Amino acid sequence: MFILELDIILKNIKNLKKILDSKETDIFINKILSSKRIFIFGIGRSGYVGRCFFMRLMHLNFNVYFVSEAPAFKEDDLLIVISNTGKCVTIKTIIEKAKKISNNIVVITSKNSKIKDISFSIVLDVDKNNYLPMGTTFEHTALIYLDLVIAKIMKVLNKSEEDIIKEHNNLL
Amino acid sequence: MFILELDIILKNIKNLKKILDSKETDIFINKILSSKRIFIFGIGRSGYVGRCFFMRLMHLNFNVYFVSEAPAFKEDDLLIVISNTGKCVTIKTIIEKAKKISNNIVVITSKNSKIKDISFSIVLDVDKNNYLPMGTTFEHTALIYLDLVIAKIMKVLNKSEEDIIKEHNNLL
Amino acid sequence: MFILELDIILKNIKNLKKILDSKETDIFINKILSSKRIFIFGIGRSGYVGRCFFMRLMHLNFNVYFVSEAPAFKEDDLLIVISNTGKCVTIKTIIEKAKKISNNIVVITSKNSKIKDISFSIVLDVDKNNYLPMGTTFEHTALIYLDLVIAKIMKVLNKSEEDIIKEHNNLL
Amino acid sequence: MFILELDIILKNIKNLKKILDSKETDIFINKILSSKRIFIFGIGRSGYVGRCFFMRLMHLNFNVYFVSEAPAFKEDDLLIVISNTGKCVTIKTIIEKAKKISNNIVVITSKNSKIKDISFSIVLDVDKNNYLPMGTTFEHTALIYLDLVIAKIMKVLNKSEEDIIKEHNNLL
């Protein structure tokens, strides 16, 4: 019943190997490691993917904000925008405003995106079908890509799961 | 560099076949289709997974709420809780309070969960490692599982991607 | 120590009498009572004021959404935007997009606003000083104005506090 | 039409003078100024009041978190909880968990509260009526109290509105 959709999803995730081993991912990780503060933005489901990434970066002691609740973006900061098509005016506006402050911007997007040429981009190669509508497959591929970026950063910083647990919310 | 982690993730997602074809998933989908209103809850990253599911159910015209911004839960409603370990007091408290109102509760959880026996549960069989810390693999497996539940509901209701696009946010 | 700031705040709130008794407030309340669904939007602290209003409208059984988590805005719906200055591009973009769909838009704003002439507006007359920075006084005046609109709607619909309590979140 | 409700609201806000000039407010402000990091929590509308306070503290360069998106609470941190009645299990649970880590907890609550004796409390003396249901008057009194605490902190730190504007979100 679900075999076709599951196969599309698995193929998209297998495809991550190429982008994970690319120079772009190295540059992205270096930007994260070298920026003073990290600002993340996305709309709707892409925003929730961004908030998941935000949480792990916070657990690794990065100085990280989600744009909706962030202070002023400054020239030493990094902006990460997650957007499948880049069609939303809000996305374009934020990138344009950020560019006047800093060129330190990374867009996580898909091959058909309207914004992949206006900033440094990580382009995810994702397929979809009628029952995986709109950005569905982009969103889980992006979540897994960003979790693997976290895995790499943990290795670089010599961090273990224990370190994450120590920094994890202990009040809720 | 990422092969080990990617393999764990792919195996977890392949494993979804079994639970997707199970009686539990049929019951879960029937509960969604037959409940008056749907309430979703999760904490942290599981909460964001829940908010992604919320958004697609909304696009399919279900009457759906995320508990943090919801009205009173009543006896004809369905509560869906997403929690990897079920350890958080808040999770247990919400399930206990809901049970006094209705037995229409579904928990999306993992095999090591502390709450899988206190309600009807969808138990995801997920592996992890040190660099996929805490609930990381549970969270993306849950997101994909719930997106495949959406795929099934779209088929049952004879909905296409066009129907989703028509109901999608057109202001942002 | 706080007397000057407290006096400014009290004066702003006393000033609400005029706008509460105005034709504009009557029109606003009629729009709420007669629209199929209500969409609310604001950025930052104005957004939180909007979410407070959202919650009370929900308790009164209105079909209400905050735009960030809303489905498609349609011609029978009402859009309420809360914005002190109307300077944000996002605010202007949302109002422009909404106008192509429906003229049923209400802007809660202040006398110096850039958007008060592009839609039906409730203009709050608020003073401020250096220690009540940016939209501070606008935000609490707007919150109280909207709570008094709720009071009026409760009277019109013959609702009591008991009715609100019955619909209030019972899981958290 | 609104005179009775407006009078109740104005009286509550005038009443703030006493608590603003109290030793409790001095202690509260000293805790904010001397803590390494500040964690804020509240549920529903009280949570939105907390998020408004969070935003101004962020504009003043404090290291501040809302508990729902926070890392681990540690012994040098300050927890501020906003809750009218303190009845929610979640509120009690969070205070109990926090107390095992640090005594640096401040509760903003009302005179009828169930939690005002379990931690250092700022007790707001607020009246209400049937058309200002549940915590309505507590919520705007708390918002204004916290904005006046911000005013005091600005004076102590010699900050002006210009300083706030410089740190205000410049992307949205």
Side-chain angles (χ1 to χ4, degrees):
Chain A
M1 183 90 215
F2 301 93
I3 288 173
L4 187 59
E5 283 77 30
L6 200 52
D7 281 351
I8 293 172
I9 291 168
L10 286 165
K11 199 185 135 225
N12 289 336
I13 295 167
K14 265 179 220 154
N15 269 349
L16 280 176
K17 256 177 214 166
K18 213 192 292 179
I19 186 79
L20 282 163
D21 288 332
S22 71
K23 213 186 293 181
E24 279 76 17
T25 295
D26 285 347
I27 293 171
F28 179 36
I29 289 173
N30 282 334
K31 280 179 183 293
I32 291 173
L33 292 169
S34 62
S35 298
K36 201 177 162 199
R37 303 186 301 177
I38 300 165
F39 287 59
I40 299 175
F41 191 66
I43 290 177
R45 289 173 43 116
S46 289
Y48 298 134
V49 168
R51 287 182 184 274
C52 287
F53 188 50
F54 161 96
M55 213 159 262
R56 281 289 178 263
L57 287 174
M58 184 176 71
H59 294 152
L60 291 167
N61 297 125
F62 286 92
N63 210 339
V64 60
Y65 295 96
F66 195 79
V67 167
S68 314
E69 300 101 37
F73 182 66
K74 298 188 178 172
E75 57 175 2
D76 295 334
D77 299 330
L78 167 66
L79 174 65
I80 301 168
V81 174
I82 301 159
S83 174
N84 179 28
T85 63
K87 267 193 223 154
C88 294
V89 189
T90 313
I91 292 287
K92 275 181 272 183
T93 305
I94 283 176
I95 294 174
E96 276 161 27
K97 283 188 175 186
K99 274 185 149 177
K100 287 176 190 157
I101 299 159
S102 159
N103 268 318
N104 209 17
I105 302 170
V106 177
V107 176
I108 314 292
T109 190
S110 70
K111 47 189 172 170
N112 307 311
S113 166
K114 307 214 161 186
I115 49 170
K116 71 174 191 291
D117 302 324
I118 64 167
S119 284
F120 175 77
S121 295
I122 302 291
V123 181
L124 303 180
D125 179 14
V126 289
D127 279 343
K128 49 177 285 192
N129 79 0
N130 184 56
Y131 300 107
L132 298 165
M134 302 191 78
T136 299
T137 55
F138 168 76
E139 288 137 16
H140 34 67
T141 310
L143 177 63
I144 290 167
Y145 171 75
L146 294 169
D147 275 340
L148 289 168
V149 163
I150 291 291
K152 178 74 181 287
I153 291 172
M154 287 178 73
K155 290 171 189 179
V156 171
L157 298 178
N158 204 19
K159 293 266 189 179
S160 70
E161 186 181 24
E162 276 311 302
D163 298 312
I164 299 278
I165 292 171
K166 262 180 221 150
E167 298 299 329
H168 193 269
N169 198 311
N170 53 1
L171 297 182
L172 287 172
Chain B
M1 182 92 215
F2 300 95
I3 289 174
L4 186 61
E5 282 78 29
L6 201 51
D7 279 352
I8 293 172
I9 290 168
L10 286 165
K11 199 185 135 225
N12 289 336
I13 296 167
K14 266 180 219 152
N15 268 349
L16 280 176
K17 257 178 213 165
K18 215 193 290 179
I19 185 79
L20 281 163
D21 287 332
S22 71
K23 214 187 290 179
E24 280 76 16
T25 295
D26 286 346
I27 294 171
F28 178 36
I29 289 172
N30 282 334
K31 282 179 182 291
I32 290 172
L33 291 169
S34 62
S35 298
K36 200 177 162 199
R37 301 186 302 175
I38 301 165
F39 287 57
I40 299 177
F41 191 66
I43 289 177
R45 288 173 43 117
S46 290
Y48 299 134
V49 168
R51 287 183 183 273
C52 287
F53 188 51
F54 161 96
M55 213 158 262
R56 282 289 177 263
L57 287 173
M58 184 177 71
H59 295 153
L60 291 167
N61 297 125
F62 286 91
N63 211 339
V64 60
Y65 295 95
F66 195 79
V67 168
S68 314
E69 300 100 37
F73 181 67
K74 298 188 178 172
E75 57 175 1
D76 296 334
D77 299 330
L78 167 65
L79 174 65
I80 301 168
V81 174
I82 301 160
S83 174
N84 179 29
T85 63
K87 267 192 222 155
C88 294
V89 188
T90 313
I91 292 288
K92 276 182 270 184
T93 305
I94 282 177
I95 294 174
E96 276 162 26
K97 284 188 174 186
K99 274 184 148 176
K100 287 177 190 155
I101 298 159
S102 159
N103 269 319
N104 209 16
I105 302 170
V106 177
V107 176
I108 315 292
T109 191
S110 70
K111 46 190 172 170
N112 307 311
S113 166
K114 306 216 160 182
I115 50 171
K116 69 175 193 289
D117 302 323
I118 65 168
S119 284
F120 175 77
S121 295
I122 303 290
V123 181
L124 303 182
D125 180 14
V126 288
D127 279 343
K128 49 176 284 192
N129 78 1
N130 184 55
Y131 301 106
L132 298 165
M134 301 192 78
T136 298
T137 55
F138 168 76
E139 288 136 16
H140 34 68
T141 310
L143 177 63
I144 290 168
Y145 172 75
L146 294 168
D147 276 339
L148 289 168
V149 164
I150 291 291
K152 178 74 181 286
I153 291 172
M154 286 179 72
K155 290 170 188 178
V156 171
L157 298 178
N158 203 19
K159 293 266 188 180
S160 69
E161 186 180 24
E162 276 311 303
D163 297 312
I164 299 279
I165 291 171
K166 262 182 221 149
E167 298 299 330
H168 192 270
N169 198 311
N170 53 1
L171 297 182
L172 286 172
Chain C
M1 180 91 214
F2 301 93
I3 289 174
L4 186 59
E5 282 77 30
L6 200 52
D7 280 352
I8 293 172
I9 291 167
L10 286 165
K11 200 186 135 224
N12 290 335
I13 296 167
K14 266 179 218 154
N15 269 350
L16 281 176
K17 255 178 215 169
K18 216 193 289 177
I19 186 78
L20 282 163
D21 287 333
S22 71
K23 215 188 290 180
E24 279 76 16
T25 295
D26 286 347
I27 294 171
F28 178 36
I29 289 172
N30 282 334
K31 282 179 183 290
I32 290 173
L33 291 169
S34 62
S35 298
K36 201 178 162 198
R37 302 185 302 175
I38 301 164
F39 287 58
I40 299 176
F41 191 67
I43 290 178
R45 289 173 43 116
S46 289
Y48 299 134
V49 168
R51 288 183 184 273
C52 286
F53 188 50
F54 161 97
M55 212 159 262
R56 281 290 178 264
L57 287 174
M58 183 177 71
H59 295 153
L60 291 167
N61 298 126
F62 287 91
N63 210 338
V64 60
Y65 296 95
F66 195 79
V67 168
S68 315
E69 300 99 38
F73 182 67
K74 298 189 178 171
E75 58 175 359
D76 295 333
D77 300 329
L78 167 65
L79 174 65
I80 301 168
V81 174
I82 301 160
S83 174
N84 180 29
T85 64
K87 268 193 223 156
C88 294
V89 189
T90 313
I91 292 289
K92 276 181 271 183
T93 304
I94 282 177
I95 294 174
E96 276 161 27
K97 283 187 175 185
K99 273 184 148 178
K100 287 177 189 155
I101 299 159
S102 159
N103 269 318
N104 210 17
I105 302 170
V106 177
V107 177
I108 315 292
T109 190
S110 70
K111 46 190 171 169
N112 307 311
S113 166
K114 306 215 161 186
I115 48 171
K116 69 174 193 291
D117 302 324
I118 65 167
S119 284
F120 175 78
S121 296
I122 302 290
V123 181
L124 303 181
D125 180 13
V126 288
D127 280 343
K128 48 176 287 192
N129 78 3
N130 184 56
Y131 301 107
L132 299 165
M134 301 191 78
T136 299
T137 55
F138 168 76
E139 288 137 15
H140 34 66
T141 309
L143 176 63
I144 290 168
Y145 172 75
L146 294 168
D147 276 339
L148 289 168
V149 164
I150 291 291
K152 179 71 182 288
I153 291 172
M154 287 178 72
K155 290 170 188 179
V156 171
L157 298 178
N158 204 18
K159 293 267 188 177
S160 70
E161 186 181 24
E162 275 312 302
D163 298 312
I164 299 279
I165 291 170
K166 261 181 223 150
E167 299 298 331
H168 193 270
N169 198 310
N170 54 1
L171 297 182
L172 287 173
Chain D
M1 183 90 214
F2 301 94
I3 288 173
L4 187 58
E5 283 78 29
L6 201 52
D7 280 351
I8 293 172
I9 290 168
L10 286 165
K11 199 185 135 226
N12 289 335
I13 296 167
K14 265 180 219 152
N15 269 348
L16 281 176
K17 256 177 213 167
K18 215 192 290 177
I19 185 79
L20 282 163
D21 288 332
S22 71
K23 214 187 292 181
E24 280 75 17
T25 295
D26 285 347
I27 294 170
F28 178 37
I29 289 173
N30 282 334
K31 281 179 183 291
I32 290 173
L33 291 169
S34 62
S35 297
K36 199 176 162 199
R37 302 186 301 176
I38 301 165
F39 287 58
I40 299 176
F41 191 66
I43 289 177
R45 289 173 43 115
S46 289
Y48 298 135
V49 168
R51 287 182 184 273
C52 286
F53 189 50
F54 160 97
M55 212 158 263
R56 281 289 178 263
L57 287 174
M58 184 176 71
H59 295 153
L60 291 167
N61 297 125
F62 287 92
N63 210 339
V64 60
Y65 295 95
F66 195 79
V67 168
S68 314
E69 300 101 37
F73 181 67
K74 299 190 177 170
E75 57 175 1
D76 295 334
D77 299 330
L78 167 65
L79 174 65
I80 301 168
V81 174
I82 301 160
S83 174
N84 180 29
T85 62
K87 267 192 223 155
C88 294
V89 189
T90 313
I91 292 288
K92 276 182 272 182
T93 305
I94 282 177
I95 294 174
E96 276 161 27
K97 283 188 175 187
K99 274 184 148 177
K100 287 176 191 157
I101 298 159
S102 159
N103 268 319
N104 209 16
I105 302 170
V106 177
V107 176
I108 315 291
T109 190
S110 70
K111 46 190 171 167
N112 308 312
S113 167
K114 306 216 160 183
I115 49 170
K116 71 174 192 289
D117 302 324
I118 65 167
S119 284
F120 175 77
S121 295
I122 302 291
V123 181
L124 303 181
D125 179 14
V126 289
D127 279 343
K128 49 176 286 193
N129 79 2
N130 184 56
Y131 301 107
L132 298 165
M134 302 191 76
T136 297
T137 55
F138 168 76
E139 288 137 15
H140 34 67
T141 310
L143 176 63
I144 290 167
Y145 172 75
L146 293 169
D147 275 340
L148 290 168
V149 164
I150 291 291
K152 179 71 181 289
I153 291 172
M154 287 179 72
K155 289 169 188 179
V156 171
L157 298 178
N158 203 20
K159 294 265 189 179
S160 70
E161 186 181 25
E162 277 311 302
D163 298 312
I164 299 278
I165 291 171
K166 263 181 221 150
E167 298 299 329
H168 193 269
N169 198 310
N170 53 1
L171 297 182
L172 288 171

